[in-house]
Each structure stands twice: as structure tokens, then as C-alpha cells.
């Protein structure tokens, strides 16, 4: 494998609150190869969004990335980078797409303003040049009559269109990595399909790597090259999409897959994972999934390591093979 | 848009009718203006003559109808005392008040907005806490007291104690220049010096209001996704605060400032009295004391129109600041 675009090792992002330390992300490792799409799957509070924001250095106090974590972009250590350097990387080398397109564009600024400022934040170019680039980016994401659209305000766009604009903004500087935080969750299904298709095409065409954060396994199953499943701040399973979907090893992944409705489950009760995610403030010792796990044993009271059980397919479970 | 303006003006007309009727009845009940104007020794015949000459011998409703009839034709009557048309009296005084309020608004915005935004950005800093505590003083201290204290400090104490400290003028209006037929003191050094203390007095309350509003709105805007997205785009902090945050803060600031401006113009009475500022407020106070009904009525008519126009301007400003408002007006 070639050198990864992004290499995250032992990422720990903790929130130091009055009630205690919330370990939102606690020891996450993964690589993203050039042009690869990694699906980061997990339920609310699993740490997937915090992982995304950590990569961009956008964690607000009281949260911070704990000493010993490492995020390398093409070999450059980001956790030790100066704020100015991080600002220069954000938007240019790593771009982000947010969940709710209704909220990501500033309602009182025109689309051209919001695009031009992004261009000029990283390149010393004239306004006209920046406008031309913005226009090209809109065309690239399939927006018709871009000149008219540039002069419009965000509220004059539909949700899908706004997300396209947000994607166009992310693409302005041809970043090496795009972190997409549930970008299709707020859209209706047909638009969702279009955006997914668009994202896949853009990654293939430009060699951009992508981390697609979502709670929806069905979405990443058709999109991602590899899938990482997160639970309570840790990756519990990671591997090629086909492996993870067809031969999951971790009981949590199985539970997730089992709870996706399909044609075969018609007329049957949907399976669900019993219980709730444990509070991040007081995680139990050992495997954090054990209280909800159908196959938990005595051994689960000590934390299992992420082990490569099959080639390229890792799981954090004592009973990975047994399951 | 046109329909909207016409509707606004009709509302204004209605308010003017109600207002004038109230003032008419009110002043009629308070007392007899004639008694205030002529010497107590005057005979009943003289008294009746004056009363008849002013039209005060007729029943109240007839007087009111006569007023309405004249007002519709643009005549709001003459001051009982000065004999000049009431409107003319007011308009002569208006520039002084307007420039005072305008100057104080500029001061309040220039100081209040940065302080409020700062307090919103760093709510836990000592600076922010100092600003917020100070703002409570700003809108709870009574105006006349603040005015007197400013005079004490800047016109008396400091110049006395520190040699060479400029003694700020504490009363009256400075030199004026004629700008398009209006006498303004904003453009002379002496005029600005005279403006300083009264404007500061008015600005304290306004500034405190702006500080609190700007802080609250900044706290509301900062956690928004579009601010985080702006960070993710790699924008500089100056651009994020100065454009993305500030433009959203300006919307409520514009509303409150518009209302505040009208409020100050209409009722800067106390500050104008403390600083002997020859504005409209002092005229109103004198006219009420002397039961000079035409001036009081005309004054309130002007204030009604002023408020309506001001609100209209704020609405227009809205559409500049907030594109979502603009769309609706375009649709009609």
C-alpha cells in the first residue's frame, strides 16, 4: 500500500467538564489511503463526529486532543501544528462538509461572498479570479446556471442545492482529504443518492481521500472502500466494506447490520440492540459494549485490543472468531 | 412595498388623531392657559378678549374641530406665547436635538459594539466581566445624575485639580455652521466640544444596551454551524468575527437602535435641561409648563410622524442586513 494520506494513531479527544472527563474519543487508529473513502460508522455519542473535528483541529474547549495522540497528513504532524498552520491546512488540504446544509451557509451572506472568501483565504488571487474558480466549482458539482446562483442567498436554495454548494466550497482547493459529517442525513432519499454518487465520482476523479461519518450503514455500504465502526470512543471493527458487511466479527457491528430493514425482514420484528450507549463520563472497566452484548463472557471485563483476525479485517472483541 | 408604506402612513394618521384629541382634552383639564399669560390684575373683560382672540371661548369639541380643519390644511396653529407658528418653533429647535442624539448614537455604537462582541467572544475573561458589570451601571444610573457627575468631573474637578486639563463646556450649544439651511454644530470644533458631555450622558444608556444585546447575540451566533464551517474553510478569525458574526449581530442592533433613536429624540428632555441644550425637549417642557397647547400638540404630531418614518427606515435597513426579509418584499 502507498503512503496513507491521513494516518491517525492513538487519537484521544477528551472533554474536561465539571462533571468529569468525557472521553469522547479514546484511542482511535486508522489510515486513509489516497483516493480511498473510509466510512466511519457509529451511533450518536460514539465519537465519530468528534474524530472528524479533531482531524481539522476544530475542537472547542473544554475539549482538547490529549497528549500522545497523533494525526499525520502526508507525514505532517497536525496535533503539534501552530494555529496559523492549521488554519492554512483547513479548507485547503483538509475540507469538511457538515451535516445540516440549512445551517452551514451563513444566511446573511451571498453565495459568491462565501465562496470567494474561501478562495482568498488560501490563495493571493484577484476577486475576479476567485469568482471564476467558484463558478467552476459549482459547475463541477452539477449546479445549473452558476452565475445566477452565485449572486443568490442561501435561503433561495433547496437543501440539496445548499449541500452541493457546501461540497463545491469543500472542493475549491482540491483538498487531499474531505471529512464529510453525515452530509446526506438531512436530505431526502433521492437527493441523498445524487450526492453520494457525486461524492464517489469526485473522489475517483481527483484522488481525494474521504472520511464519511454516518450512523447509516446502508449509506456507506454502497460508498466506502473500508468501514470503521465506532463505539463509545473506540473503533471496535475496521475492514474492507464487503468483509465488514458480510462477515462482521464484532457483536455490535452484527447488531447494527441486523437492525437495518431489508426485504427479507418484511413482516418480522426488526432486531434491535438492547440498552443504551454508556455515559462517556463513567465508562465501565473492560469492553464498553459488554452490558449490551449477547455473547459477553467473564473475559470481557478486561479491554480487548484491536486484533487483525482476518487479513485487513480487525476487531476489538475477545470472541470475534467465536461470533 | 408601496402598499406597505401607505398602510404605515394611514396608521400614523390614526395615531395622530387619537393623540391630538388626548392632548387637547388633557391640557383643557389641567388649567387655563389664559391665566398663565396675562397678569392676575387684568379685568374679566381683558381676559375674555384674550380668550376670544385665541379661540378659547368656544366649547372644546369646536376648538378641536377647528384645529383638525386647520391641521389638514397644514396649519398647526400659533404658539399662545411666542405668536409664531408652532411648527416653525419646533423645527428651529429640531437640528440641535437631532445632532445631539445622532452623536450619542455614534458614540454608543463605536464603544458598545466592540465591547459587547468582545464580551461575547470571551465570556469568562476578566475584561468581559468588567464590561458586563459596567453595563448594568450604564442603564441603571439616572440620566440627570450622570449628566451632573460628568459636569462635576470634566468641567469642574479635573480642570481645577490638573493644570492644563481642558475645561469641557457644560452648557449650551457651541458655534454652528449653516449646512443646507440647517444650523449644525457637528462640524465645528467648538460645537463638538459642547456636544461631548451631553452626548456622553445620552450614550451611556444606549451603549450599555448595545453591549448587552451584542454580547447575547454573539453568544447565540458563535455556536452556529456556519461559524464552524467558516473555521473549517480556513478563514482568519478576523474575517469570521468581523463578517460572519458581526453581520448577524447587526440585525437586532439595528432594531433596538432605531427605537432608541426615536425615544431619545422625543424625550431627551432631561439631558437637554441639565446641559441647557437648546433642543426640542426643553421647548416641550416649557410649553407644557405654560400650557402652550398648539406647541405641545404640534410637537407630539411631529414625534408620531418621526417614529413612523424611523420604523420604516429600520424596516428598510432590515432588508439590507437580512436577505431573507428582502425576498418577501420582492415577491409582492
Amino acid at each position: 500500500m502507498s503512503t496513507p494520506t491521513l494516518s491517525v494513531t492513538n487519537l484521544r479527544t477528551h472533554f474536561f467538564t465539571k462533571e468529569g472527563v468525557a472521553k469522547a474519543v479514546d484511542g482511535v487508529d486508522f489510515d486513509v489511503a489516497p483516493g480511498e473513502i473510509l466510512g466511519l460508522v457509529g451511533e450518536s455519542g460514539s465519537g465519530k463526529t468528534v474524530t472528524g473535528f479533531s482531524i481539522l483541529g476544530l475542537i472547542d474547549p473544554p475539549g482538547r486532543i490529549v497528549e500522545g495522540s497523533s494525526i499525520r497528513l502526508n507525514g505532517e504532524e497536525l496535533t503539534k501544528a501552530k494555529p496559523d498552520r492549521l488554519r492554512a491546512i483547513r479548507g485547503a488540504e483538509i475540507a469538511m462538509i457538515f451535516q445540516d446544509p440549512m445551517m452551514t451557509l451563513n444566511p446573511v451572506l451571498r453565495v459568491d461572498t462565501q465562496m470567494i472568501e474561501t478562495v482568498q483565504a488560501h490563495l493571493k488571487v484577484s476577486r475576479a479570479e476567485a469568482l471564476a474558480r467558484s463558478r467552476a466549482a459549482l459547475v463541477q458539482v452539477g449546479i445549473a446556471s452558476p452565475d445566477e446562483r452565485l449572486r443568490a442567498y442561501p435561503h433561495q436554495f433547496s437543501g440539496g442545492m445548499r449541500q452541493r454548494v457546501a461540497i463545491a466550497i469543500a472542493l475549491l482547493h482540491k483538498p487531499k482529504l474531505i471529512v464529510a459529517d453525515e452530509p446526506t442525513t438531512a436530505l431526502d432519499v433521492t437527493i441523498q443518492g445524487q450526492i453520494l454518487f457525486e461524492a464517489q465520482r469526485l473522489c475517483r476523479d481527483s484522488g481525494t481521500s474521504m472520511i464519511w461519518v454516518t450512523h447509516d450503514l446502508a449509506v456507506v455500504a454502497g460508498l466506502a472502500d473500508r468501514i470503521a465502526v465506532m463505539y463509545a470512543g473506540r473503533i471496535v471493527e475496521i475492514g474492507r466494506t464487503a468483509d465488514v458487511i458480510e462477515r462482521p466479527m464484532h457483536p455490535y457491528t452484527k447488531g447494527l447490520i441486523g437492525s437495518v430493514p431489508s426485504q427479507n425482514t418484511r413482516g418480522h420484528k426488526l432486531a434491535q440492540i438492547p440498552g443504551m450507549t454508556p455515559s462517556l463520563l463513567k465508562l465501565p472497566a473492560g469492553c464498553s459494549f459488554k452490558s449490551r452484548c449477547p455473547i459477553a463472557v467473564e473475559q470481557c471485563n478486561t479491554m480487548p485490543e484491536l486484533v487483525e483476525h482476518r487479513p485487513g479485517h480487525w476487531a476489538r472483541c475477545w470472541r470475534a472468531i467465536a461470533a | 412595498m408601496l402598499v406597505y408604506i401607505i398602510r404605515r402612513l394611514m396608521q400614523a394618521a390614526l395615531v395622530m388623531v387619537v393623540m391630538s384629541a388626548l392632548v387637547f382634552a388633557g391640557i383643557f383639564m389641567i388649567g387655563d392657559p389664559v391665566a398663565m399669560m396675562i397678569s392676575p390684575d387684568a379685568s374679566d373683560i381683558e381676559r375674555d378678549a384674550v380668550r376670544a382672540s385665541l379661540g378659547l371661548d368656544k366649547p372644546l369639541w369646536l376648538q378641536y374641530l377647528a384645529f383638525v380643519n386647520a391641521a389638514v390644511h397644514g396649519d398647526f396653529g400659533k404658539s399662545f406665547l411666542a405668536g409664531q407658528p408652532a411648527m416653525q418653533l419646533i423645527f428651529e429647535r429640531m437640528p440641535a436635538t437631532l445632532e445631539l442624539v445622532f452623536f450619542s448614537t455614534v458614540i454608543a455604537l463605536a464603544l458598545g459594539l466592540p465591547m459587547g462582541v468582545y464580551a461575547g467572544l470571551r465570556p469568562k475573561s476578566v475584561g468581559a466581566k468588567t464590561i458586563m458589570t459596567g453595563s448594568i451601571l450604564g442603564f441603571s444610573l439616572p440620566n440627570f445624575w450622570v449628566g451632573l457627575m460628568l459636569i462635576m468631573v470634566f468641567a469642574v474637578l479635573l480642570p481645577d485639580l490638573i493644570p492644563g486639563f481642558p475645561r469641557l463646556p457644560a452648557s449650551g450649544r457651541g458655534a454652528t455652521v449653516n449646512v443646507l439651511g440647517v444650523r449644525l454644530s457637528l462640524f465645528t470644533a467648538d460645537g463638538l466640544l459642547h456636544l461631548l458631555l451631553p452626548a456622553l450622558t445620552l450614550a451611556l444608556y444606549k451603549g450599555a444596551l448595545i453591549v448587552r444585546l451584542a454580547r447575547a447575540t454573539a453568544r447565540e451566533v458563535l455556536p452556529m454551524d456556519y461559524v464552524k464551517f467558516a473555521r473549517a474553510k480556513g478563514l482568519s478569525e478576523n474575517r469570521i468575527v468581523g463578517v460572519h458574526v458581526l453581520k448577524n449581530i447587526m440585525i437586532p442592533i439595528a432594531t433596538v437602535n432605531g427605537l432608541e433613536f426615536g425615544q431619545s429624540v422625543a424625550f431627551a428632555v432631561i439631558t437637554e435641561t441639565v446641559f441647557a441644550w437648546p433642543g426640542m425637549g426643553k421647548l416641550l417642557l416649557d410649553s407644557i409648563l405654560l400650557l402652550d397647547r398648539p406647541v405641545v400638540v404640534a410637537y407630539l404630531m411631529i414625534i408620531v410622524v418621526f417614529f413612523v418614518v424611523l420604523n420604516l427606515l429600520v424596516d428598510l435597513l432590515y432588508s439590507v442586513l437580512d436577505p431573507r426579509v428582502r425576498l418577501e418584499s420582492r415577491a409582492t
Side-chain angles (χ1 to χ4, degrees):
Chain A
M1 209 164 90
S2 56
T3 45
T5 301
L6 181 80
S7 176
V8 175
T9 26
N10 193 27
L11 174 65
R12 289 185 299 152
T13 306
H14 295 179
F15 287 79
F16 298 86
T17 64
K18 273 184 203 141
E19 290 79 32
V21 180
K23 299 176 175 174
V25 177
D26 200 26
V28 160
D29 306 77
F30 62 83
D31 287 350
V32 187
E36 183 184 40
I37 302 180
L38 174 75
L40 200 55
V41 185
E43 59 195 290
S44 308
S46 62
K48 55 192 196 304
T49 299
V50 176
T51 304
F53 279 124
S54 299
I55 293 166
L56 275 99
L58 282 178
I59 298 293
D60 292 324
R64 67 181 150 86
I65 298 174
V66 179
E67 199 65 29
S69 309
S70 164
I71 300 167
R72 281 170 185 278
L73 181 75
N74 287 328
E76 183 182 356
E77 180 59 54
L78 298 188
T79 55
K80 301 217 165 44
K82 296 214 163 56
D84 266 356
R85 175 68 191 137
L86 272 180
R87 188 196 66 73
I89 289 172
R90 280 201 293 268
E93 293 178 43
I94 308 178
M96 184 148 186
I97 308 168
F98 284 58
Q99 177 168 3
D100 188 353
M102 298 296 176
M103 302 299 297
T104 48
L105 299 176
N106 195 322
V108 300
L109 297 175
R110 279 193 345 199
V111 168
D112 56 358
T113 313
Q114 302 194 45
M115 295 191 79
I116 288 168
E117 66 179 7
T118 316
V119 176
Q120 289 184 329
H122 301 286
L123 290 173
K124 284 198 191 318
V125 294
S126 68
R127 222 192 102 87
E129 166 74 16
L131 188 68
R133 278 173 185 258
S134 309
R135 190 183 179 284
L138 285 186
V139 172
Q140 200 183 351
V141 295
I143 286 183
S145 53
D147 293 310
E148 195 184 312
R149 289 303 180 177
L150 276 169
R151 280 191 302 274
Y153 284 91
H155 69 268
Q156 292 163 307
F157 288 66
S158 66
M161 282 286 251
R162 282 191 220 190
Q163 198 60 294
R164 277 171 199 267
V165 173
I167 293 173
I169 290 176
L171 291 173
L172 275 172
H173 292 283
K174 303 194 169 46
K176 300 186 183 90
L177 174 72
I178 295 177
V179 178
D181 185 10
E182 309 212 28
T184 57
T185 309
L187 304 176
D188 61 54
V189 181
T190 45
I191 307 295
Q192 182 174 326
Q194 290 174 18
I195 297 277
L196 287 176
F197 173 76
E198 216 67 72
Q200 207 160 22
R201 184 176 62 84
L202 292 167
C203 280
R204 297 275 176 277
D205 292 356
S206 58
T208 303
S209 310
M210 193 177 260
I211 297 176
W212 195 279
V213 177
T214 183
H215 63 265
D216 191 346
L217 256 183
V219 165
V220 282
L223 173 77
D225 301 301
R226 282 194 306 146
I227 289 180
V229 181
M230 280 192 78
Y231 187 80
R234 290 193 174 88
I235 289 182
V236 294
E237 180 159 2
I238 183 167
R240 287 192 297 114
T241 302
D243 289 345
V244 174
I245 298 287
E246 282 154 29
R247 295 190 294 164
M249 291 193 286
H250 197 282
Y252 177 64
T253 317
K254 277 187 196 153
L256 280 184
I257 294 168
S259 58
V260 174
S262 72
Q263 285 186 330
N264 303 334
T265 54
R266 184 193 293 261
H268 298 278
K269 256 195 181 163
L270 275 175
Q272 56 173 344
I273 305 172
M276 280 168 57
T277 329
S279 160
L280 292 170
L281 287 169
K282 36 179 188 288
L283 285 176
C287 173
S288 38
F289 188 63
K290 68 178 182 222
S291 60
R292 303 170 74 183
C293 183
I295 54 168
V297 291
E298 194 65 22
Q299 205 177 9
C300 300
N301 287 325
T302 47
M303 174 59 82
E305 290 302 308
L306 199 56
V307 176
E308 188 170 17
H309 291 283
R310 299 191 192 106
H313 190 174
W314 304 60
R316 188 190 288 279
C317 182
W318 294 117
R319 309 200 60 200
I321 296 299
Chain B
M1 196 64 201
L2 193 67
V3 178
Y4 176 74
I5 293 176
I6 291 171
R7 198 182 300 148
R8 272 297 178 85
L9 291 178
M10 278 167 66
Q11 281 172 1
L14 191 70
V15 176
M16 283 163 88
V17 170
V18 174
M19 196 81 155
S20 57
L22 281 176
V23 174
F24 249 77
I27 289 189
F28 181 77
M29 277 192 287
I30 293 173
D32 181 6
V34 176
M36 311 286 293
M37 281 186 288
I38 59 175
S39 89
D41 310 332
S43 66
D44 282 351
I45 299 163
E46 284 174 299
R47 218 173 279 262
D48 287 342
V50 172
R51 196 165 278 144
S53 75
L54 294 175
L56 294 173
D57 52 342
K58 300 193 188 75
L60 186 67
W61 64 272
L62 258 181
Q63 288 182 39
Y64 183 66
L65 284 185
F67 161 78
V68 172
N69 184 37
V72 170
H73 293 92
D75 176 13
F76 285 85
K78 287 188 173 123
S79 162
F80 289 162
L81 281 145
Q84 279 174 287
M87 280 294 169
Q88 189 192 328
L89 264 182
I90 296 166
F91 279 126
E92 272 170 14
R93 302 287 198 98
M94 199 183 233
T97 297
L98 283 181
E99 71 178 1
L100 173 63
V101 175
F102 174 76
F103 194 49
S104 73
T105 305
V106 170
I107 295 177
L109 272 175
L111 295 179
L113 202 54
M115 286 203 267
V117 173
Y118 173 81
L121 287 174
R122 306 198 196 308
K124 287 186 182 142
S125 67
V126 179
K129 282 179 179 153
T130 315
I131 291 170
M132 293 324 284
T133 314
S135 76
I136 295 176
L137 286 182
F139 60 77
S140 50
L141 291 178
N143 233 332
F144 71 90
W145 187 84
V146 172
L148 289 175
M149 284 303 118
L150 284 177
I151 292 176
M152 275 286 276
V153 173
F154 289 101
V156 181
L157 277 179
L158 286 180
D160 280 356
L161 290 174
I162 306 166
F165 193 92
R167 191 179 292 275
L168 286 176
S171 103
R173 203 173 176 213
T176 56
V177 283
N178 228 318
V179 180
L180 302 172
V182 180
R183 283 172 55 226
L184 290 178
S185 67
L186 259 181
F187 301 105
T188 65
D190 181 51
L192 279 177
L193 269 184
H194 277 82
L195 261 173
L196 202 57
L197 289 186
L200 272 179
T201 309
L202 275 180
L204 190 68
Y205 176 84
K206 289 177 193 300
L209 205 65
I210 292 172
V211 163
R212 299 197 78 82
L213 196 63
R215 177 188 181 271
T217 323
R219 302 287 303 144
E220 226 168 80
V221 171
L222 280 170
M224 289 297 212
D225 265 3
Y226 56 77
V227 174
K228 207 151 199 185
F229 188 60
R231 294 222 161 86
K233 292 197 296 188
L235 301 186
S236 66
E237 204 59 23
N238 284 344
R239 172 101 194 160
I240 293 170
V241 174
V243 177
H244 285 256
V245 175
L246 200 62
K247 252 206 120 175
N248 282 285
I249 291 180
M250 286 319 286
I251 299 169
I253 297 273
T255 327
V256 170
N257 252 315
L259 291 175
E260 250 303 298
F261 192 88
Q263 197 71 24
S264 305
V265 168
F267 310 107
V269 187
I270 294 165
T271 309
E272 286 184 358
T273 310
V274 171
F275 289 94
W277 189 259
M280 300 194 296
K282 218 166 156 310
L283 177 69
L284 175 68
L285 208 62
D286 293 345
S287 304
I288 292 175
L289 281 175
L290 297 170
L291 297 177
D292 197 346
R293 192 178 67 198
V295 179
V296 178
V297 174
Y299 182 85
L300 291 171
M301 296 299 100
I302 289 179
I303 293 304
V304 170
V305 173
F306 191 76
F307 262 96
V308 171
V309 171
L310 206 64
N311 276 325
L312 208 64
L313 283 179
V314 169
D315 279 355
L316 293 178
L317 191 61
Y318 254 10
S319 65
V320 175
L321 290 172
D322 193 338
R324 289 162 291 188
V325 176
R326 216 173 306 166
L327 188 77
E328 284 157 33
S329 65
R330 204 180 286 159
T332 51

